[in-house]
Amino acid sequence: MSFLTLESLTKHYGDTAAVKGLDLSIEQGEFVSLLGPSGCGKTTTLQMIAGFVTPTAGRLVMDGRDMTDLAPNARGFGIVFQSYALFPHMTISENVGFGLEMRKIAAHERTRRIRQVLELVRLDHLNDRYPRELSGGQRQRVALARALVIEPPLLLLDEPLSNLDAKLREDMQLELRNIQRNVGTTTLMVTHDQGEALSMSDRVVVMDQGCVKQIAEPFRAYEEPADIFVSTFVGKTNLLDGRMASNDAGLPCFEMGRQRFELAGIGMMEDGPVRVSIRPERVEMTPWQQGLVDGRVKTRQFAGDHWLYQIETSVGLLLANCPNCGPAGFDIGDEVGVRWTPDSVRLLRESPTPAAGGMS
Amino acid sequence: MSEMTLESRMAGRSRPSVRSRSLAWIPFWLTGPAAVFFLVLLGMPLLMTLVLSFYTFDYTAGISETLTLSNYTDVLFDGYFHEIFLRTYEISLITTLCCVVLGAPEAYIIYRMRRPWRSICLLITLGPLLISVVVRTLGWVLLIGGNGLLSQFMQALGLAGTRGFSLMYTQTGVVIAMVHVLVPFMVISVWASLRKVDLSTGDAALSLGAKPFTVLRRVIFPQVLPGVLSGSLIIFALTASYFATPSIIGGRRLKVVATSVYDEYLSTMNWPLGASISIVLLVLNVVIVMSYSRWVERRFRRTLGEG
Amino acid sequence: MSVDSRRNGRAALAFHTLFMIFLLAPLVVVILVAFTPEGYLSYPTHGFSLRWFREILARPDFIKAFYQSLNLGLVSATLATVLSIPAALALARFRFTGREFLNGLFLSPLMIPHIVLGVAFLRFFSQIGIGGTFASLVFAHVVIIMPYTLRLVLAAVMGLDRETERAAISLGASPWTGFRRITLPQILPGVAGGWMLAFITSFDELTMTVFVASPGNTTLPVKMYNYIEQTIDPLLASVSTVIIVLTVAFMLVLDRFYGLDRVLSGKG
């Protein structure tokens, strides 16, 4: 049986539904991310788990115990807030010790545990400072320490890294995940940053408009997006609209205009309109007339580790991502060919319309 | 400021260009009118009052320009004035405390309201500040006076005798009316502090196991403390020199510093004594305001970075 | 998004209700008494009457005092604003010798008790021979209300993106045109808010004005105060009701226009 279970958790604000019947099970020690654009209901979900927002319907069960109606201060979850919510009038030690104090832990034991957790986040030298006197990254780690010191069964992270600049964010992703692995605390993170969700989580829950679109391991969510929303929100992609058809050998293929493309790993399907996704890094550029389709380079962007091309082709504008192995192979205006392997093409389903209406 | 120092400063500089020289004069042209206005209309009257406070007064001969310290020795060492000053500051202190107890929670409650209640309640709370003090005090006279609503209410409850019940000319009456007049200042002041508070600190404390009251006491209140303290300062300083309310409700029987200044000037006509009371009041006010704000500033520099 | 943990509890709402009653009770009582049909202070238990409002019309001294207060408020608020704008620009945009001193000087009336200012003005104006004139009232009122106009104008100038004026000048505008066409329109809300706060402060001022006013030049608050010293009758309530109604109307305009909490935080 899973450690934490959300059973059709729902929240309505007046007529608008923020979260529509969310089901999720999390195993002990797992790191799960709620990923989605702003307004998708991920933060409301976190607030309901934390107890700050009362669900309109549904249950929250942890370790066999129903926690749906438990007051937030009785849940004992560790929470890292987006703003960090450090107490500005208390020192770092006092901030970290607050939860222990609330648990009436003796002073010497408190001091020991504060020191231990501050060592864990490498801030033990700053224990007498006030939050204002720390940098953003340091505040972030204090917030984490404050949440971890109470040894919570569940750690909730609300956009924990969104207030950090890009470089620091990458470092903190690694550090946060390492700390979580060491401590082994079951963790649920809310984020709108797909890169962050993919790199840190054991599983990703992609949400849109209050509904779960896909729950999968990061690699699967990226490689096998459940629907169009997931394929575009998680990573960049090329979407092509066409029809299902069968080729001369009677195998299923994708038809666009007069061109047909092979597909792999797909059983027989009815003919009809479909949409497929091809990731830019699966699109390979070739000399003219040596690919599946021909086109002309429209733009070229250098992104450090790769080049990003936009190519105008007969099947539409395609993005191609080529690793940076020396100077760019193609220039703007070049006539090029483009190809991909059959197994790079993902067939997409339309987003299933949720049973409950009232899409906002 | 003196224009001499500026002139010499400018002259001392090595060959200022014509342009920078004319630019340097701009702020003086801009502030000039207001500065002259204030130096004449604020500086002169205060200076003249300071001089006046050293003049001699005689009930038959009136004011004479013989300098004396007797006005100050009267104010500083006479038991009569001690009583008045003590009463004034006692009223100020009680009023301030009441404003903290009522205004600070109210500001928090309104802050947590949703639209449109939030702005409506704020309007009701702050609005009275714009209504004439005489009108508001009159309201309290009608409420707490001999035949007032409070008296009728207490009689109906059988808590007051048939003769009725009045808070007029009592310290309690003055304090109630003063709290009413001044409590909006506390609400504004705490409100301004609350706007800088991250309310998720309250959620953080809850998540760490604190009870709602502990959250208020340990997390929210310390963060709005600067607002409470600066509101207290405004209220204390204003009550210490308040005139209208103590005069109408306290009357002659419950003299405070402001009303005794009024009486010295307009009934007894002993202007030099009135002037010296005013100067003492002014000095006390300035000293209290200055030292208090310095203390507050030092207290919060590290944590909240404001006074 | 609303968070349930931040809602007010039942005890808080009960406290709030009592607080609102406390705030409104005296004003409601004044308005009620104003409608009494009796010749003495009482609540209109036997029907409402407008007799005490008609009585105001029979008191030219009250009407004159009202117009005096209105004139005084208009003139002194305008004068204070006119003095404040250049001063605020200088204080906000230049670093010059005496800047701190001037800032302190302009705000100092906030720290000086009005009673002290009152006696100081009484002495000063009678010594220079303008005691009791309308001009002396204007001078005295400008001194006490200028801190408010200055603060709000200063806040507006400080909150202004100075680049906009520089952009205008880079496009060929003269500094004066830059100020008139770019800066002034942007600080106008602050200027107007300051003017209104100054006006209402002047209109309500009693403590200082008691000393400066003369029987020929008196303001409404002084007139009412002197009347209360003699007797309290329903006429005061009806005059007060008129003031309350006018002030509330003024306040709603001010709130629409500028935001009451923003204006009044300049009052503290």
Side-chain angles (χ1 to χ4, degrees):
Chain A
M1 202 185 80
S2 55
F3 181 61
L4 176 76
T5 315
L6 311 183
E7 288 172 14
S8 47
L9 212 55
T10 302
K11 180 68 188 179
H12 289 277
Y13 288 111
D15 289 338
T16 50
V19 178
K20 300 168 197 164
L22 187 140
D23 290 299
L24 177 65
S25 300
I26 299 178
E27 300 302 322
Q28 183 130 31
E30 205 179 7
F31 192 121
V32 174
S33 291
L34 296 182
L35 172 66
S38 64
C40 72
K42 57 190 192 301
T43 302
T44 306
T45 306
L46 185 104
Q47 301 264 23
M48 286 193 280
I49 298 171
F52 299 135
V53 167
T54 317
T56 314
R59 289 207 314 155
L60 168 72
V61 181
M62 179 176 219
D63 231 358
R65 188 167 157 226
D66 188 332
M67 296 193 126
T68 319
D69 298 317
L70 209 59
N73 53 3
R75 297 191 183 202
F77 299 162
I79 304 173
V80 175
F81 292 80
Q82 184 169 13
S83 65
Y84 311 143
L86 297 181
F87 309 132
H89 56 293
M90 298 184 194
T91 62
I92 301 315
S93 292
E94 286 164 352
N95 262 282
V96 174
F98 188 85
L100 300 175
E101 203 184 317
M102 293 301 117
R103 283 160 178 70
K104 305 217 165 33
I105 286 170
H108 62 277
E109 168 70 1
R110 216 152 68 199
T111 320
R112 193 185 63 77
R113 280 170 66 176
I114 293 170
R115 195 176 336 111
Q116 199 179 7
V117 77
L118 283 179
E119 272 167 23
L120 182 72
V121 297
R122 297 184 289 109
L123 281 178
D124 39 322
H125 56 296
L126 296 176
N127 57 340
D128 283 335
R129 298 277 187 88
Y130 284 96
R132 293 184 63 228
E133 301 168 328
L134 302 190
S135 71
Q138 290 170 332
R139 286 183 212 180
Q140 213 279 331
R141 294 201 298 244
V142 175
L144 183 62
R146 185 178 69 179
L148 285 177
V149 77
I150 58 173
E151 294 172 3
L154 176 67
L155 181 64
L156 300 172
L157 308 173
D158 184 8
E159 303 269 7
L161 306 175
S162 64
N163 283 329
L164 302 178
D165 52 47
K167 182 76 183 74
L168 195 56
R169 190 153 56 212
E170 276 177 32
D171 296 345
M172 280 307 295
Q173 283 175 11
L174 268 176
E175 184 167 342
L176 191 58
R177 188 63 223 257
N178 282 337
I179 291 173
Q180 191 267 344
R181 268 204 195 97
N182 287 340
V183 186
T185 310
T186 312
T187 303
L188 185 69
M189 175 171 84
V190 155
T191 179
H192 66 274
D193 180 334
Q194 45 104 7
E196 196 168 291
L198 296 183
S199 66
M200 294 174 75
S201 334
D202 294 319
R203 278 191 303 153
V204 191
V205 179
V206 186
M207 290 181 71
D208 184 39
Q209 302 193 340
C211 299
V212 171
K213 296 295 179 185
Q214 186 169 15
I215 303 178
E217 289 154 29
F219 178 76
R220 293 217 169 282
Y222 186 83
E223 284 296 317
E224 293 160 23
D227 64 6
I228 295 167
F229 173 80
V230 178
S231 72
T232 49
F233 190 77
V234 181
K236 287 193 173 74
T237 197
N238 294 300
L239 291 179
L240 302 178
D241 286 311
R243 299 178 59 80
M244 275 307 284
S246 31
N247 63 7
D248 305 334
L251 293 169
C253 69
F254 174 68
E255 187 181 69
M256 222 183 147
R258 261 164 296 168
Q259 282 175 294
R260 281 184 179 177
F261 305 105
E262 279 177 60
L263 297 171
I266 291 167
M268 275 316 289
M269 273 181 72
E270 270 181 52
D271 292 4
V274 285
R275 181 175 277 190
V276 298
S277 149
I278 308 167
R279 295 286 181 191
E281 66 273 15
R282 298 297 189 95
V283 175
E284 195 187 337
M285 293 170 73
T286 65
W288 201 51
Q289 290 203 323
Q290 291 183 25
L292 294 170
V293 288
D294 287 322
R296 179 197 295 273
V297 176
K298 192 183 173 207
T299 64
R300 189 182 71 185
Q301 252 178 16
F302 180 58
D305 56 345
H306 67 269
W307 295 89
L308 194 64
Y309 293 93
Q310 274 188 315
I311 306 152
E312 249 164 342
T313 70
S314 55
V315 295
L317 200 61
L318 290 181
L319 277 178
N321 180 334
C322 306
N324 172 20
C325 321
F330 302 94
D331 219 330
I332 291 174
D334 282 358
E335 305 263 309
V336 294
V338 163
R339 75 171 169 223
W340 55 81
T341 56
D343 65 340
S344 313
V345 183
R346 299 276 166 242
L347 211 57
L348 295 177
R349 279 174 286 125
E350 284 294 333
S351 303
T353 324
M359 302 270 274
S360 48
Chain B
M1 181 216 57
S2 91
E3 300 186 353
M4 283 286 289
T5 47
L6 184 94
E7 196 109 57
S8 48
R9 227 170 59 95
M10 295 292 298
R13 242 188 239 163
S14 55
R15 303 170 129 249
S17 72
V18 178
R19 184 173 154 73
S20 79
R21 194 188 183 113
S22 66
L23 271 180
W25 280 102
I26 288 179
F28 297 99
W29 286 114
L30 291 174
T31 50
V36 170
F37 190 94
F38 264 66
L39 287 174
V40 173
L41 279 156
L42 187 63
M44 289 291 288
L46 288 175
L47 211 62
M48 287 169 78
T49 302
L50 182 65
V51 173
L52 181 65
S53 69
F54 291 103
Y55 283 176
T56 314
F57 175 79
D58 185 90
Y59 283 98
T60 48
I63 303 166
S64 72
E65 299 192 357
T66 329
L67 297 184
T68 172
L69 280 174
S70 68
N71 299 316
Y72 284 99
T73 49
D74 279 358
V75 176
L76 296 174
F77 302 110
D78 193 322
Y80 172 76
F81 286 109
H82 283 178
E83 197 188 316
I84 288 178
F85 271 91
L86 280 178
R87 177 185 299 132
T88 305
Y89 284 108
E90 189 184 324
I91 290 176
S92 303
L93 202 64
I94 299 173
T95 305
T96 308
L97 289 177
C98 292
C99 287
V100 172
V101 170
L102 294 177
E106 180 63 16
Y108 184 60
I109 292 170
I110 300 180
Y111 195 77
R112 302 212 312 174
M113 287 183 174
R114 299 183 196 186
R115 273 163 232 293
W117 293 111
R118 192 170 150 160
S119 30
I120 292 173
C121 289
L122 193 65
L123 205 66
I124 295 176
T125 311
L126 302 188
L129 274 185
L130 298 183
I131 294 173
S132 169
V133 175
V134 182
V135 172
R136 284 186 279 163
T137 307
L138 177 71
W140 282 106
V141 172
L142 300 179
L143 272 173
I144 64 176
N147 198 24
L149 208 57
L150 192 68
S151 166
Q152 291 176 16
F153 184 66
M154 299 287 261
Q155 275 175 313
L157 288 179
L159 289 171
T162 45
R163 285 198 2 258
F165 160 93
S166 167
L167 287 175
M168 286 295 283
Y169 314 116
T170 66
Q171 191 162 315
T172 315
V174 173
V175 168
I176 291 177
M178 296 270 268
V179 169
H180 179 258
V181 170
L182 295 160
V183 74
F185 284 110
M186 182 58 71
V187 176
I188 298 182
S189 191
V190 173
W191 185 270
S193 270
L194 274 170
R195 287 168 78 141
K196 293 178 206 146
V197 173
D198 177 3
L199 283 188
S200 57
T201 52
D203 291 339
L206 272 183
S207 78
L208 292 167
K211 295 194 173 63
F213 184 72
T214 313
V215 175
L216 266 184
R217 190 174 55 86
R218 294 281 310 275
V219 175
I220 304 293
F221 185 75
Q223 292 188 73
V224 297
L225 193 57
V228 172
L229 292 177
S230 67
S232 305
L233 178 63
I234 295 164
I235 292 169
F236 187 84
L238 283 175
T239 43
S241 61
Y242 226 70
F243 171 70
T245 308
S247 164
I248 294 171
I249 293 187
R252 295 283 176 283
R253 271 187 254 170
L254 202 75
K255 266 197 189 183
V256 294
V257 177
T259 51
S260 67
V261 170
Y262 180 83
D263 287 344
E264 291 305 333
Y265 265 85
L266 299 181
S267 342
T268 328
M269 304 304 260
N270 187 347
W271 288 21
L273 184 61
S276 58
I277 304 173
S278 316
I279 297 292
V280 171
L281 178 67
L282 176 61
V283 169
L284 282 175
N285 227 43
V286 170
V287 167
I288 290 171
V289 169
M290 292 287 204
S291 45
Y292 185 91
S293 21
R294 193 151 302 167
W295 172 75
V296 169
E297 203 170 297
R298 211 170 323 133
R299 167 84 170 64
F300 292 104
R301 193 179 303 145
R302 271 187 88 190
T303 53
L304 305 172
E306 56 169 30
Chain C
M1 184 189 48
S2 66
V3 178
D4 299 339
S5 58
R6 293 183 199 158
R7 275 204 219 161
N8 288 308
R10 217 169 287 167
L13 290 176
F15 177 90
H16 172 69
T17 311
L18 290 176
F19 187 88
M20 288 287 138
I21 292 173
F22 171 71
L23 275 187
L24 293 175
L27 302 175
V28 172
V29 164
V30 166
I31 294 172
L32 280 179
V33 169
F35 286 97
T36 188
E38 315 293 342
Y40 51 89
L41 284 178
S42 57
Y43 299 102
T45 38
H46 310 293
F48 287 82
S49 152
L50 293 176
R51 69 177 275 197
W52 290 105
F53 289 94
R54 283 194 293 273
E55 180 72 17
I56 300 176
L57 299 176
R59 294 293 301 251
D61 50 337
F62 271 95
I63 298 194
K64 186 176 173 229
F66 173 75
Y67 280 115
Q68 286 276 14
S69 286
L70 213 57
N71 278 335
L72 179 58
L74 291 172
V75 173
S76 46
T78 308
L79 190 54
T81 310
V82 167
L83 288 173
S84 292
I85 294 174
L89 283 171
L91 290 175
R93 296 187 167 180
F94 293 91
R95 298 281 167 274
F96 55 98
T97 323
R99 181 175 168 275
E100 288 298 309
F101 170 80
L102 285 177
N103 195 29
L105 177 70
F106 296 147
L107 296 180
S108 64
L110 292 175
M111 223 165 51
I112 306 173
H114 283 192
I115 188 98
V116 176
L117 286 172
V119 300
F121 286 134
L122 173 62
R123 173 77 175 163
F124 177 67
F125 291 139
S126 60
Q127 289 277 308
I128 64 168
I130 59 166
T133 60
F134 185 71
S136 73
L137 282 174
V138 171
F139 289 148
H141 275 232
V142 170
V143 170
I144 57 160
I145 63 182
M146 213 186 96
Y148 302 127
T149 53
L150 185 75
R151 267 194 185 181
L152 289 187
V153 177
L154 201 55
V157 177
M158 300 271 226
L160 191 67
D161 181 5
R162 220 188 148 176
E163 299 287 303
T164 56
E165 194 178 318
R166 292 199 175 122
I169 290 171
S170 79
L171 294 168
S174 69
W176 166 244
T177 309
F179 170 74
R180 195 171 47 85
R181 294 281 305 281
I182 308 298
T183 306
L184 193 59
Q186 292 187 77
I187 63 170
L188 210 54
V191 172
W195 186 90
M196 290 169 112
L197 182 61
F199 171 80
I200 197 82
T201 308
S202 159
F203 189 86
D204 289 346
E205 214 294 327
L206 169 73
T207 311
M208 183 204 71
T209 318
V210 152
F211 292 92
V212 189
S214 62
N217 271 308
T218 194
T219 64
L220 193 54
V222 173
K223 179 81 200 161
M224 289 176 69
Y225 174 76
N226 289 333
Y227 195 87
I228 291 179
E229 293 272 88
Q230 315 295 321
T231 175
I232 295 182
D233 66 19
L235 176 66
L236 279 168
S238 61
V239 173
S240 297
T241 303
V242 173
I243 296 180
I244 292 172
V245 169
L246 290 178
T247 311
V248 168
F250 185 84
M251 190 173 87
L252 291 175
V253 172
L254 190 58
D255 189 49
R256 243 320 132 71
F257 197 67
Y258 194 71
L260 205 58
D261 58 326
R262 268 170 78 205
V263 174
L264 289 174
S265 48
K267 193 154 177 154

